[in-house]
Amino acid sequence: MDDIPFHTAHWLNTDHPLTLADFRGRVLAVEVFQMLCPGCVLNGLPQAQRLAQTFQERDLAVIGLHSVFEHHAGNSRESLAAFLHEWRIRFPVAIDMQGEGLLPQTMAAWGLQGTPSLVLIDRVGRMRARHFGQVADMALGAQVMELIGESSAG
Amino acid sequence: MDDIPFHTAHWLNTDHPLTLADFRGRVLAVEVFQMLCPGCVLNGLPQAQRLAQTFQERDLAVIGLHSVFEHHAGNSRESLAAFLHEWRIRFPVAIDMQGEGLLPQTMAAWGLQGTPSLVLIDRVGRMRARHFGQVADMALGAQVMELIGESSAG
Amino acid sequence: MDDIPFHTAHWLNTDHPLTLADFRGRVLAVEVFQMLCPGCVLNGLPQAQRLAQTFQERDLAVIGLHSVFEHHAGNSRESLAAFLHEWRIRFPVAIDMQGEGLLPQTMAAWGLQGTPSLVLIDRVGRMRARHFGQVADMALGAQVMELIGESSAG
Amino acid sequence: MDDIPFHTAHWLNTDHPLTLADFRGRVLAVEVFQMLCPGCVLNGLPQAQRLAQTFQERDLAVIGLHSVFEHHAGNSRESLAAFLHEWRIRFPVAIDMQGEGLLPQTMAAWGLQGTPSLVLIDRVGRMRARHFGQVADMALGAQVMELIGESSAG
């Protein structure tokens, strides 16, 4: 299996950079967001926080990916750090690496349509879902549990 | 395994009475409610409707159990039928059999604390959860999926 | 000025029947509802309770009018009494008088389109607003205050 | 009557700087906020938008005052401009002038406790309300209408 591309420029809420391999053996939920995107603030990020509170850490990891494709000047690293502090977001957040084009590199490589997007990666490192916009809590809880129930033997 | 007691006086939203055995092989969610209980109307019943919409019928069955223990005169069968019609509740609803004591018979036998209560019964007919009051959609979706993932071989 | 017709069969939450004349000198908000109407339970009645809590009693009176035009068997006086108790509705509630036609008499005389309807009557007894369905709290608060600000000299 | 102090460094959503005197004759609602304050984003600013939509422009003017007292680096003018664009905030927004102390000058002069604060100034330029935190829509609609009903003769 080929590895999923994951290009990060910086990390917040963690004292060392992470790779997707660090989460192997667990299900991983990646909340792809922009701090100035209303749907991310109102729906995506609070749902990611509920994921982190609902499931056990040994079963599910939750991280954020700040994928800025508009208003770059208003989305500085300092702004994001203050935003995470004020909104009480504790899980690790990566800043997606800017590339040559409009979209940052990871967002482009993953073929995402915009923010918020919730990406689910299974225990053996395969991307299993890319939810753009809103997904209901009940359906998401069921889907995450289904992935948790799978073997990590691959 | 002994069968779970289930005493019903009438059924609505179905053309014939049902037994718990009819649901064997599937997970069964029983929403125990009173039509005049605000928590049932605002939280319990809408959540039961979301369960019915979120999961496949072959995996999960959803029914209601109208367990009246107060305001009996205001909870007639005619009132309940009109209530189900107006609130667009389509799943089968049983009326719990009144007994000698305060509580109706099924509610008493199941040891429930009040309404709303959501009871989950697994594919082989064992009671696995009794949630009194509110339970979050995400946690409930996960729990139902966990039961769905179990074998029906018992 | 002719009096507004007001035909009531019974009253709850008051120890004696009331007439519209009893409210002269104050603004009167009449929440016209059916206990089995979801929009009444979810929006109309909670808003009427907020009206009663927000304004002073000397400025605004709030009452309910139970105007049943469907499911008569499921809308007994006993059901309504239990409903008001469970939903903590404390303001006086009149039961609209059934007439020859489909609609109860007051509802028909007032030309209402359905439930919930919020009717505002000014300090001198003139009907000033008939809101069918939802009205926003902010706009309603402003409208009620505008009527409160008018002279009761007529 | 002494004028209310009003020290602004920049303006957005308007092509020229404004003074409080520009609003004389109308009621003025000033939403004092920080773009990284959750209560401002979730409650204060949406309510200010509802004020602007509910009342007539000739009766009520609505403006924002960005009063930053923490996370200065994350609250640049560029960030604020992008924030206003993304959240569809159309009313004029002033940036409160930084002073010697912790609090920006207008916020300090007005004696505000934090953000969000909603300040109401009447038709003749007197400060009439300083709501810190949440205020209910219905009560606010009533209060604004009461001020609108006052004479602008002073």
Side-chain angles (χ1 to χ4, degrees), chain B residues 35-38 41-42 70-71 73-76 78-79 82-83 85-87, chain C residues 35-38 41-42 70-71 73-76 78-79 82-83 85-87:
Chain B
M35 61 169 281
L36 293 177
C37 141
V41 170
L42 297 178
E70 52 191 356
H71 308 301
N75 273 286
S76 70
E78 289 73 23
S79 291
F83 172 86
H85 174 80
E86 288 303 312
W87 288 85
Chain C
M35 60 169 280
L36 294 176
C37 143
V41 171
L42 298 177
E70 53 191 356
H71 309 299
N75 273 286
S76 69
E78 288 73 23
S79 292
F83 172 86
H85 175 80
E86 289 302 313
W87 288 86

Side-chain angles (χ1 to χ4, degrees), chain D residues 49-100:
Chain D
Q49 289 174 300
R50 290 194 296 277
L51 280 174
Q53 289 154 7
T54 300
F55 291 92
Q56 309 254 9
E57 270 190 70
R58 66 166 185 270
D59 290 325
L60 177 74
V62 178
I63 64 172
L65 179 65
H66 198 235
S67 294
V68 175
F69 57 90
E70 52 192 354
H71 308 300
H72 293 277
N75 273 286
S76 69
R77 186 175 167 183
E78 289 74 23
S79 291
L80 179 60
F83 172 86
L84 298 178
H85 175 80
E86 288 303 312
W87 288 86
R88 311 295 185 252
I89 294 168
R90 309 288 195 218
F91 47 72
V93 171
I95 298 178
D96 200 352
M97 185 81 80
Q98 292 301 319
E100 301 291 308

Side-chain angles (χ1 to χ4, degrees), chain B residues 94-108:
Chain B
I95 298 178
D96 200 351
M97 183 82 79
Q98 292 302 319
E100 301 292 308
L102 174 69
L103 297 182
Q105 293 185 34
T106 307
M107 189 178 203

Side-chain angles (χ1 to χ4, degrees), chain C:
Chain C
M1 191 199 69
D2 292 325
D3 279 342
I4 297 172
F6 190 55
H7 308 288
T8 61
H10 296 287
W11 283 84
L12 296 94
N13 286 347
T14 170
D15 54 11
H16 61 280
L18 302 168
T19 69
L20 294 187
D22 293 327
F23 302 101
R24 205 62 59 88
R26 296 193 282 165
V27 177
L28 174 64
V30 184
E31 181 67 37
V32 184
F33 74 104
Q34 298 181 97
M35 60 169 280
L36 294 176
C37 143
C40 302
V41 171
L42 298 177
N43 303 305
L45 288 164
Q47 188 176 59
Q49 289 174 300
R50 289 194 297 276
L51 279 174
Q53 290 155 5
T54 301
F55 293 92
Q56 309 253 9
E57 269 190 72
R58 65 166 186 269
D59 288 327
L60 176 73
V62 177
I63 63 172
L65 178 64
H66 197 234
S67 294
V68 176
F69 57 89
E70 53 191 356
H71 309 299
H72 293 277
N75 273 286
S76 69
R77 186 175 166 183
E78 288 73 23
S79 292
L80 178 60
F83 172 86
L84 297 178
H85 175 80
E86 289 302 313
W87 288 86
R88 310 296 186 253
I89 295 168
R90 308 288 195 218
F91 48 70
V93 172
I95 299 178
D96 200 352
M97 183 82 80
Q98 291 302 317
E100 300 290 310
L102 174 68
L103 297 182
Q105 293 185 35
T106 307
M107 188 180 205
W110 291 6
L112 302 181
Q113 301 176 65
T115 56
S117 285
L118 181 68
V119 174
L120 296 178
I121 297 173
D122 68 16
R123 292 185 186 273
V124 295
R126 294 170 301 191
M127 192 177 292
R128 299 290 290 276
R130 293 176 300 178
H131 295 293
F132 175 52
Q134 292 194 44
V135 52
D137 268 18
M138 188 181 279
L140 180 60
Q143 186 176 28
V144 168
M145 183 52 85
E146 193 169 25
L147 295 180
I148 287 173
E150 294 177 354
S151 165
S152 59

